[in-house]
Amino acid sequence: MRFGMIGLGRMGGGLARRAIRGGHECVGFDPDPRMVSDLADAGGKGAASLAELVAALETPRVVWVMVPDKVTGRVIDDLRLLLSPGDVIIDGGNSNFRHSVDRGEALDAEQIHFVDVGTSGGVFGLERGFCLMVGGQPEVVAGLAPLFDTLVAGYASAPRSRGRTGDPTSAENGWLHCGQVGAGHFAKMIHNGIEYGMMAAMAEGMNLLAHANQEGADPADISAGSGLPYYRFNFDLPELAELWRRGSVISSWLLDLTANALREDPSLDSYAGSVGDSGEGRWTARAAIDLGVPAHVLSASLFDRFSSRGNGSVANKLLSAMRKQFGGHVEVKP
């Protein structure tokens, strides 16, 4: 299959290269000419503009957009002016599913097909393969199956679930048609909300282990519990992470990455601890409110990221002020 890729950064470049390795032809465009040159060196064809990219594709054209959410709408608006009825636009970025639903309807009016693909795999996707959550019309998605089959991690990337028999499904190979337009990005939004929660649980547990040695602490400290003498453990966090990778119930790729991080920087001194969020956690919390569905852990993990950036400082100061007002409690300085 010959297709275009707009955006050749960490994700788009990885997708394009994996497709090329799998025998597909890719025409790529990126505002950074070096990215375009790198793709050409990898066996792709570079384009200097959107118009040049579209001209290099045969109809019906397939163009994959892999750019940051804040510019996705503009890129698609520019692209739609160059395409013809029957062409396909794939949005593989972390777009808001609401925007995908609206874009799909607008493009459908022009007889241009829209497919939203929630893409997971990060910078490791080039070698490990990607996980794709797909939304779109069934016949359009079916036509893209050969491309998706090449990009994903594949059946052998995980043991088969107990009780599954027969030929592997597309989900077992690493991609799934989740439903109509918007379903792919909705599934990816929830995926990332879960990711927030898993990361928070891992981080909080490691933080408890890091503070488990309180020998020499003053039990009279009002901020400390009376059981401080029991906490006399000096855990080796990198080694515990390695241990849990082997045979533990919580073993996972996320734990593998955590172990790598702790090996590279055991004290984590190279990090300030100000944790960003790219939007999906907020959208997940909003969806939970809209649907009236409880999402305690996912929402708390998002708010924890806000706190890490100092956005809770006024609240924390006010808590100390109120304690002093009603009980004469003197704030214990850290």
Side-chain angles (χ1 to χ4, degrees), residues 94-137:
N94 282 328
S95 294
N96 190 312
F97 78 96
R98 296 170 182 265
H99 298 162
S100 296
V101 171
D102 293 341
R103 286 167 186 154
E105 292 178 352
L107 290 167
D108 186 59
E110 300 177 20
Q111 299 179 52
I112 297 173
H113 303 298
F114 181 76
V115 176
D116 56 298
V117 178
T119 307
S120 183
V123 296
F124 294 92
L126 173 59
E127 302 301 333
R128 296 176 82 247
F130 295 89
C131 172
L132 305 178
M133 293 143 272
V134 184
Q137 299 173 5

Side-chain angles (χ1 to χ4, degrees), residues 62-110:
V62 174
V63 183
W64 191 307
V65 178
M66 205 69 188
V67 298
D69 175 59
K70 63 182 179 181
V71 298
T72 298
R74 176 167 54 80
V75 171
I76 291 177
D77 285 343
D78 291 343
L79 185 60
R80 68 197 295 180
L81 300 176
L82 302 169
L83 297 180
S84 304
D87 291 345
V88 180
I89 295 177
I90 300 172
D91 177 8
N94 282 328
S95 294
N96 190 312
F97 78 96
R98 296 170 182 265
H99 298 162
S100 296
V101 171
D102 293 341
R103 286 167 186 154
E105 292 178 352
L107 290 167
D108 186 59
E110 300 177 20

